[in-house]
């Protein structure tokens, strides 16, 4: 053997080299990938809020034989059950052949996304224009949300106990809304401000009307708007006090790129992973260990509240499942495994200064595994063990999953968090993995189709392992 050949063989054996996923999959798999992504695009177009994501997930689940879980149900292997948490979060399970004292396999994603919420007293008129006052939800760059078309989604809970669904702007014939901005000709002082100050939170007022009511009184435009809302939904201004109304970007999900290799849309973070979990669970036969899918709320604001991942709703659901088999919950958790399926930052060549290229996620390099998230000194993370990482390497390689091990940007640049630490705090081995995203938290985010497909394959492999 020549010296050159020997050296090359050593490089192949000793070096770690990530490969573009398109160099690793064949045409038949590409066709499956495209079909999967078409289903995801339809889901993302439908699921504009966490409530709508849960509603659509339940619709699809029931079509495949899932039934609402009722405490005390007798659970047999292969049974498919779900539990809705106040219509804003969802837990589903396919009961496995083994009892829950052998643990379960959990995939946890979140279905809330950054957005613009209406304040509880939102409606006002100024200079014969009507506006909604807002309070943004989650981490956003406020300047990205002005001068784009917006839709209004949500619910209004009336005093009589009735709940009214509101969707305005999603249908092509609907009116839409906008947050206005200064024209460049008068923006001299504005442009001297930092990016975080260019648009203030209190200035993010949504324009909703300008035609006055045919009357001689004051606030005629506001009155006209309220009249329209009453005619369409039967709501008055007081009803906003018990409403959850949200403005989201009115941008249909589209393929991105001349090669159509990417998907652009609102809410990839984290509905792209939520859909991967759902589809993987739907495509399961009876697994060895019970497979659990969690679609959580409130991740973008810290996972607090009754529908967040820190809520005991998950324990209640799992404790009931365990009780049906005479198993103690803590014994189940200590043998369980959780994939915290959340997106991560994708390397963007336009902003290389924030990335450490050896460890940054890349588009088309497959599902991104993050051993830890957090900020700077790994603050706010669970930091999975080496054994957990090795487990994923083995399972993914055996299943033909294209994957990469990554972290979120340079050490001192910033950071981020997911639901992983809340699952790990329950004594469940947990690690993050998900789809790399360009322009994360923007009104129009971008993901690679290959990475979406590989995230689905990754969750399915874990459920089946």
């Amino acid at each position: 053997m020549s010296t050159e050949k020997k050296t090359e063989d050593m490089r192949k054996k000793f070096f770690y080299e990530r490969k573009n996923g398109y160099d690793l999959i064949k045409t038949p798999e590409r066709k499956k990938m495209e079909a999967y992504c078409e289903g995801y695009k339809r889901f993302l177009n439908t699921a504009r809020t966490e409530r709508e994501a849960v509603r659509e997930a339940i619709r699809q689940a029931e079509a495949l034989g899932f039934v609402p879980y009722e405490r005390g149900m007798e659970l047999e292997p292969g049974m498919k059950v779900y539990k809705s948490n106040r219509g804003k979060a969802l837990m589903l399970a396919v009961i496995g052949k083994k009892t829950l004292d052998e643990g379960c396999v959990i995939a946890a994603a979140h279905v809330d996304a950054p957005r613009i919420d209406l304040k509880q007293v939102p409606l006002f008129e100024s200079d014969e224009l009507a506006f909604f006052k807002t309070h943004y939800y989650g981490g956003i760059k406020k300047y990205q949300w002005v001068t784009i078309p917006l839709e209004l989604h949500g619910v209004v809970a009336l005093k009589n106990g009735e709940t009214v669904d509101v969707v305005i702007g999603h249908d092509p014939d609907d009116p839409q809304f906008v947050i206005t901005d200064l024209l460049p000709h008068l923006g001299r002082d504005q442009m001297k401000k930092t990016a975080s100050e260019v648009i203030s939170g209190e200035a993010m007022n949504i324009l909703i009307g300008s035609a006055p009511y045919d009357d001689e009184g004051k606030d005629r435009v506001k009155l006209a708007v309220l009249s329209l809302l009453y005619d369409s939904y039967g709501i008055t201004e007081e009803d906003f006090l018990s409403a959850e109304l949200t403005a989201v970007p009115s941008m249909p999900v589209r393929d991105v790129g001349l090669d159509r290799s990417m998907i652009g849309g609102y809410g990839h973070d984290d509905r792209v992973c939520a859909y991967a979990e759902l589809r993987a669970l739907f495509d399961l036969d009876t697994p060895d260990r019970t497979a659990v899918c969690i679609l959580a709320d409130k991740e973008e604001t810290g996972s607090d509240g009754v529908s967040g991942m820190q809520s005991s709703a998950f324990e209640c659901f799992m404790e009931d499942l365990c009780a049906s088999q005479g198993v103690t919950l803590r014994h189940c958790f200590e043998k369980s495994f959780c994939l915290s399926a959340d997106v991560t930052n994708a390397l963007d060549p336009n902003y290389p200064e924030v990335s450490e290229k050896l460890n940054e996620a890349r588009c088309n390099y497959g599902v991104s595994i993050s051993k830890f998230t957090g900020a700077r000194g790994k603050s706010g993370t669970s930091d999975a063990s080496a054994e957990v990482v090795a487990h994923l390497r083995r399972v993914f390689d055996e299943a033909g999953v294209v994957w990469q091990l990554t972290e979120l940007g340079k050490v001192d640049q910033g950071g981020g968090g997911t639901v992983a630490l809340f699952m790990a705090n329950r004594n469940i081995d947990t690690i993050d993995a998900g789809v790399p995203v360009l322009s994360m938290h923007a009104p129009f985010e971008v993901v690679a189709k290959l990475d979406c497909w590989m995230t689905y394959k990754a969750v399915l492999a874990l459920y089946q392992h």
Side-chain angles (χ1 to χ4, degrees), residues 339-368:
L339 188 76
S340 169
D342 204 348
V343 298
T344 192
N345 177 61
L347 175 66
D348 189 336
N350 291 313
Y351 306 98
E353 65 277 6
V354 301
S355 298
E356 192 272 284
K357 290 188 176 182
L358 278 178
N359 292 283
E360 196 80 354
R362 295 171 181 262
C363 290
N364 293 320
Y365 278 67
V367 59
S368 170

Side-chain angles (χ1 to χ4, degrees), residues 226-295:
L226 283 170
S227 177
L228 289 169
L229 287 171
Y230 186 80
D231 290 344
S232 298
Y233 297 99
I235 59 177
T236 67
E237 184 173 19
E238 185 179 352
D239 293 322
F240 283 100
L241 297 175
S242 53
E244 290 180 5
L245 294 170
T246 289
V248 299
S250 188
M251 302 177 186
V253 181
R254 301 291 293 270
D255 284 346
V256 170
L258 292 174
D259 56 5
R260 295 181 174 269
S261 63
M262 295 169 283
I263 302 171
Y266 164 69
H268 286 315
D269 180 12
D270 183 37
R271 293 167 195 149
V272 66
C273 295
Y275 183 76
E277 291 182 8
L278 278 175
R279 274 293 304 273
L281 195 74
F282 293 165
D283 291 345
L284 270 182
D285 293 324
T286 304
D288 283 340
R289 294 202 293 172
T290 294
V292 178
C293 171
I294 303 171
L295 306 184

Side-chain angles (χ1 to χ4, degrees), residues 135-148:
H135 192 136
Y136 59 89
Y137 172 100
I140 65 170
K141 292 179 176 179
K142 296 187 290 293
Y143 64 81
Q144 294 179 333
W145 290 72
V146 300
T147 71
I148 64 171

Side-chain angles (χ1 to χ4, degrees), residues 113-133:
R115 60 182 191 244
I116 309 295
D117 287 345
L118 267 57
K119 289 191 176 186
Q120 301 314 116
V121 182
L123 185 54
F124 74 99
E125 179 178 333
S126 179
D127 297 298
E128 297 183 289
L129 294 175
F131 297 89
F132 280 140
K133 293 200 70 66

Side-chain angles (χ1 to χ4, degrees), residues 57-75:
I58 290 174
R59 186 193 69 79
Q60 293 189 22
E62 288 183 339
L64 294 171
F66 282 77
V67 297
Y69 175 75
E70 295 180 7
R71 190 169 286 122
M73 283 178 70
E74 218 173 292
L75 300 176

